[in-house]
């Protein structure tokens, strides 16, 4: 876990998103957006969100992206495709509590051989606008289950085509 005590940065976008909608950040990069309302079960005894929940929301955002933009990949996951999380990081800037509304935004950081890098912004939505509560990164390895075990494999074409519009550089 990386905890960053620097001043809270502004969120990357000023537009309000609806559940699972695309938004653009200040640099014009397209981001997939997943809305979430924090539940009491996601908080600890102190009342703030337990730090692992941010990682869980990143995973949920990934899943909603697959459902809405690359549903063919779900069939491959039911067969022999495995999407293995290789690396995770999250920098925390703003405390979140129960019933806060957050916007989890995902964009493509890189596609390298069998690896997919994803950037995440978790924005807290509030009456005066939004503030970036956390930023994260995940690297996913695409693998195939074989008789020899898991072997690296290029991401499915349906997934790479769905992700490309979300890249910072085309």
């Amino acid at each position: 876990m990386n905890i960053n005590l620097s001043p809270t940065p502004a969120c990357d976008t000023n537009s309000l998103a609806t559940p699972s909608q695309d938004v653009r950040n200040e640099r014009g990069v397209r981001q997939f957006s997943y809305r979430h309302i924090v539940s009491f079960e996601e908080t600890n005894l102190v009342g703030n969100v337990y730090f692992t929940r941010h990682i869980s929301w990143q995973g949920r955002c990934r899943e909603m992206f697959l459902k809405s933009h690359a549903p063919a990949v779900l069939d491959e996951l039911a067969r022999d495709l495995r999407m293995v999380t290789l690396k995770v990081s999250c920098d925390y800037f703003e405390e979140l509590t129960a019933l806060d509304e957050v916007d989890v935004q995902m964009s493509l950081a890189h596609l390298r051989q069998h690896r997919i890098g994803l950037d995440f912004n978790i924005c807290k939505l509030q009456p005066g606008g939004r503030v970036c509560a956390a930023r994260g990164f995940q690297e996913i390895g695409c693998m195939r289950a074989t008789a020899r075990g898991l072997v690296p494999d290029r991401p499915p074409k349906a997934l790479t085509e769905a992700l490309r519009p979300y890249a910072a550089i085309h």
Side-chain angles (χ1 to χ4, degrees), residues 7-163:
T8 303
C11 192
D12 277 348
T13 181
N14 291 322
S15 64
L16 291 178
T18 57
S20 300
Q21 170 182 311
D22 290 349
V23 295
R24 292 199 182 268
N25 68 14
E26 61 198 21
R27 296 177 310 275
V29 175
R30 188 172 168 193
Q31 297 177 307
F32 178 77
S33 174
Y34 162 69
R35 278 276 179 96
H36 180 74
I37 296 175
V38 177
S39 69
F40 284 100
E41 88 174 295
E42 295 175 300
T43 62
N44 58 27
L45 291 173
V46 179
N48 59 359
V49 169
Y50 190 63
F51 75 96
T52 61
R53 295 301 183 161
H54 297 73
I55 306 299
S56 176
W57 299 336
Q58 291 177 21
R60 179 84 170 148
C61 185
R62 275 183 5 201
E63 293 166 3
M64 294 301 99
F65 178 84
L66 288 176
K67 182 178 187 280
S68 63
H69 292 295
V73 174
L74 299 175
D75 294 333
E76 290 194 54
L77 286 167
R79 291 190 305 270
D80 63 345
L81 177 64
R82 303 295 180 262
M83 295 177 68
V84 180
T85 303
L86 304 172
K87 189 183 298 185
V88 173
S89 67
C90 193
D91 295 322
Y92 303 89
F93 307 115
E94 183 81 16
E95 192 169 78
L96 297 171
T97 58
L99 305 180
D100 279 343
E101 188 171 0
V102 295
D103 187 13
V104 183
Q105 301 166 347
M106 181 187 83
S107 60
L108 176 64
H110 66 259
L111 275 170
R112 296 183 188 134
Q113 299 170 342
H114 74 288
R115 295 172 182 249
I116 301 168
L118 300 169
D119 287 322
F120 293 89
N121 288 324
I122 299 175
C123 301
K124 179 180 179 179
L125 306 178
Q126 46 196 22
R130 56 177 62 219
V131 70
C132 186
R135 285 207 174 109
F137 173 80
Q138 291 190 14
E139 188 171 60
I140 311 306
C142 290
M143 314 286 258
R144 294 285 174 177
T146 69
R148 300 181 328 235
L150 292 179
V151 294
D153 193 24
R154 291 202 175 274
K157 184 177 180 180
L159 181 56
T160 59
E161 287 177 357
L163 284 169

